Amino acid sequence: WAEMPAAKALLDDIDSSSQGAAESARLFAEHLAPTIQTLEASQASWEHEKQNLLQQLDQIYEDVDGAGDLGYTLHAVFVHSGSTPEFGHYWAYIRDYDWVRSEERWIKFNDAQVSVVDAEEVLRKVPKAGEEFDNPYYLVYVRSSELGKTVDM
C-alpha cells in the first residue's frame, strides 16, 4: 500500500509531531474507508454465495443417497500400441463374470488370439519393457448394480 500514490502522499504529509501523525492517520483511514466497505460487502456476498453452494451440494448428496447404488466398475479397456494414432495395433481387455461361481476374469481379445489374463496385466500403471507404446485409450465402465445384466461366461 505504501507504493500507492494516494498512500504515498498521505505518508509524506506525516510530520514528527503526534498531532500531524494523528491527522495523517485520520485522513488515511478516511481515504481507505470506501475500499474497506467494498471489501467487507464483497466478503459478505461471497460468504452468502458459499452458503448457497454448500446447501446445493448437501441437496445433491441427499438426492444421490436416495438414488441407490451409483458405483461404477471398470468393464473393458481398449488399448492402442503404436507411436501415433494412425500407426499401430489395437486390442481390448474385457472383464467377464461367472455369477454362479462368483468369479471374474479378464479376457484379452487380440486379433484371432483370445486369452485369459491376470487383472494385474490390465490394471498395471507402468508398461513392461517393449510395451512403452501401449496406451489405454478407451475405458468402459458399467454401473455396479447392472453387472448381472452383462453376458455370462
Side-chain angles (χ1 to χ4, degrees):
W1 60 269
E3 296 300 319
M4 297 171 53
K8 223 176 214 180
L10 287 171
L11 290 172
D12 289 343
D13 288 342
I14 295 176
D15 60 30
S16 59
S17 72
S18 61
Q19 187 175 14
E23 178 62 16
S24 292
R26 184 191 67 74
L27 290 172
F28 193 68
E30 188 178 286
H31 182 73
L32 286 179
T35 303
I36 291 170
Q37 289 172 346
T38 301
L39 290 172
E40 288 172 343
S42 295
Q43 182 180 12
S45 174
W46 293 333
E47 195 60 38
H48 178 72
E49 182 66 20
K50 175 183 163 188
Q51 291 305 317
N52 283 341
L53 290 172
L54 288 172
Q55 288 174 351
Q56 290 176 17
L57 190 58
D58 286 343
Q59 184 62 49
I60 289 170
Y61 285 137
E62 286 177 23
D63 293 345
V64 168
D65 284 343
D69 179 20
L70 293 180
Y72 285 82
T73 301
L74 181 63
H75 181 67
V77 178
F78 291 80
V79 180
H80 173 257
S81 178
S83 56
T84 69
E86 296 81 20
F87 173 78
H89 180 70
Y90 295 86
W91 72 90
Y93 295 103
I94 299 177
R95 186 181 293 197
D96 195 19
Y97 303 91
D98 182 343
W99 298 104
V100 176
R101 290 183 271 171
S102 297
E103 293 178 358
E104 66 180 44
R105 63 184 180 178
W106 282 94
I107 301 174
K108 181 177 182 179
F109 294 87
N110 189 353
D111 292 335
Q113 297 179 345
V114 178
S115 58
V116 175
V117 297
D118 292 330
E120 184 178 297
E121 178 177 327
V122 180
L123 304 174
R124 70 174 174 254
K125 295 178 183 173
V126 179
K128 293 180 182 178
E131 297 179 353
E132 290 82 7
F133 293 111
D134 294 357
N135 296 297
Y137 75 97
Y138 187 76
L139 306 175
V140 178
Y141 288 87
V142 175
R143 187 172 285 165
S144 298
S145 61
E146 302 289 318
L147 285 175
K149 296 178 182 176
T150 59
V151 177
D152 290 330
M153 283 194 246

